[in-house]
Amino acid sequence: FSSCLLSKNEKKDLFLKCLKEHFSSDEIDHRYHYLVDQMDPGSIFRPYALVDVIDSNQPEVFEKSGLKPFLNQNYRWLYFLHDHLPFSTDWIEGGHHRIKFFHSENLDKTVFAQILKLFMMGQKIIFDKSHLSEELQKRLEIFFLENNLKPQTVNFLSLVTFCELGEGKLILIETGSIEKSRDREIFWEHLFKFLKLNHPEVQADSDLFSLWRIRATSPHELNYMDIRRVNFYNPTSYKKTIHIHTKKKFAFMKVIDPDLAQARTNTDGVEVELLPNGKLALDFGHYQDLI
């Protein structure tokens, strides 16, 4: 809008009113509600991820443990970072499928209790207890006794403790005892293989952009549980090739809006070629959830 014909007082009042009506937090939430986590993906594509990383204002802890480098290498654009635990109903229900990573560095009692509650609610939790305080360690042991849990422990580069409660899974790790960076890579690789994340696997150069989104099925797509779309963009001055391995329970559906790009199917999935500034999107149907 133009305010050049308004007086100084009118301009001041009008400007504040317009800011409130169009840019307040409530208005933004209303207009961009599709960005909010929801259990039902709805008919509109929403951002999709497989992992939540809660670093509790300690972003360096997951850098040192090797988790973030591993995610950037293998699950880029498929994880969300949180500087605190957004312990709300919408976030809990909307992200029920995501595996949640926590670290014991500077962990307080409230967040620790919320982590255990998420586990009891059927969530999948990976908890790095490398610097867990003695007090919280005792509370963890009492929690196991009170709920009659029988953790199983294995030693693979680090002590790994696994226990289940209904659909909930709690895996305790201690990456602080892993000194070599190569050993940390091997550790995360084997842990994620154990987690069996059911999602198409993308092999692409790190300088390419990609984004995964998800939506509910339409009436003519009832054979699928949901539809997942990945967008690719090549900002470089070189031709790039991307390999998407569809794995089990996924079917390639179609190519959307290719521009300086082409895709072709093969026995393993889809191969994409992107020229400089090329872009396209691919839809995959998910017809059974194994997570």
Side-chain angles (χ1 to χ4, degrees):
F1 58 89
S2 175
S3 61
C4 61
L5 300 179
L6 300 176
S7 67
K8 182 178 180 180
N9 291 334
E10 290 173 330
K11 185 183 300 185
K12 180 180 179 181
D13 295 336
L14 179 63
F15 185 67
L16 292 177
K17 182 179 179 180
C18 289
L19 282 178
K20 183 176 180 180
E21 288 182 353
H22 296 281
F23 300 99
S24 67
S25 59
D26 292 339
E27 182 67 14
I28 291 174
D29 289 341
H30 173 72
R31 292 180 180 273
Y32 302 101
H33 64 280
Y34 57 86
L35 294 177
V36 179
D37 284 332
Q38 293 184 3
M39 181 174 291
D40 182 1
S43 59
I44 303 175
F45 277 102
R46 302 171 185 272
Y48 182 75
L50 296 170
V51 171
D52 281 317
V53 178
I54 296 88
D55 56 28
S56 300
N57 294 316
Q58 298 288 328
E60 71 280 358
V61 295
F62 286 115
E63 289 285 351
K64 293 179 180 178
S65 70
L67 175 61
K68 285 185 180 179
F70 177 83
L71 290 174
N72 288 330
Q73 179 68 31
N74 298 277
Y75 295 93
R76 195 159 44 104
W77 311 106
L78 275 169
Y79 69 96
F80 293 151
L81 290 175
H82 307 273
D83 58 7
H84 68 284
L85 175 56
F87 197 78
S88 64
T89 302
D90 289 340
W91 183 80
I92 293 171
E93 293 181 351
H96 188 84
H97 67 282
R98 294 197 293 268
I99 297 173
K100 295 167 176 58
F101 286 79
F102 297 89
H103 199 284
S104 60
E105 186 79 21
N106 295 332
L107 190 67
D108 59 39
K109 298 178 183 178
T110 301
V111 175
F112 184 69
Q114 291 173 340
I115 293 172
L116 298 180
K117 188 174 182 180
L118 286 173
F119 166 56
M120 297 182 71
M121 295 171 67
Q123 302 271 335
K124 301 171 181 64
I125 307 296
I126 313 294
F127 182 60
D128 192 336
K129 56 189 290 289
S130 299
H131 298 91
L132 189 65
S133 66
E134 184 177 348
E135 179 184 2
L136 294 183
Q137 176 63 40
K138 290 181 179 179
R139 294 188 66 175
L140 180 62
E141 294 172 358
I142 293 173
F143 173 78
F144 288 152
L145 292 174
E146 289 178 342
N147 293 277
N148 196 27
L149 297 175
K150 298 179 180 179
Q152 301 176 5
T153 302
V154 297
N155 192 350
F156 174 72
L157 297 175
S158 162
L159 286 178
V160 180
T161 303
F162 175 81
C163 63
E164 291 183 291
L165 182 62
E167 294 184 356
K169 292 180 175 59
L170 176 63
I171 301 178
L172 306 174
I173 59 177
E174 297 183 37
T175 59
S177 62
I178 307 176
E179 298 180 355
K180 298 180 180 179
S181 58
R182 178 53 186 161
D183 287 342
R184 289 194 290 268
E185 293 176 10
I186 296 173
F187 175 81
W188 289 117
E189 180 181 347
H190 281 265
L191 181 60
F192 272 77
K193 284 182 179 179
F194 173 76
L195 296 174
K196 296 180 180 179
L197 300 180
N198 191 31
H199 189 75
E201 179 184 349
V202 176
Q203 291 183 343
D205 291 343
S206 59
D207 50 5
L208 296 178
F209 294 159
S210 65
L211 173 67
W212 281 96
R213 293 181 292 165
I214 187 173
R215 69 166 171 82
T217 57
S218 59
H220 66 280
E221 298 168 332
L222 295 181
N223 290 334
Y224 300 117
M225 296 181 63
D226 54 62
I227 307 299
R228 300 184 192 181
R229 174 174 294 181
V230 58
N231 293 76
F232 293 111
Y233 172 64
N234 179 13
T236 73
S237 57
Y238 302 95
K239 184 175 76 170
K240 297 287 186 176
T241 301
I242 303 170
H243 300 277
I244 302 100
H245 306 285
T246 53
K247 295 188 175 183
K248 295 181 180 180
K249 309 306 177 184
F250 282 92
F252 172 62
M253 296 176 63
K254 60 183 177 180
V255 180
I256 300 97
D257 299 330
D259 182 15
L260 300 176
Q262 62 178 354
R264 52 179 175 268
T265 59
N266 54 40
T267 56
D268 192 35
V270 183
E271 182 177 282
V272 174
E273 287 187 355
L274 293 173
L275 296 178
N277 294 317
K279 60 181 180 179
L280 89 169
L282 305 174
D283 275 2
F284 295 89
H286 174 211
Y287 53 89
Q288 186 176 344
D289 198 343
L290 296 181
I291 296 179

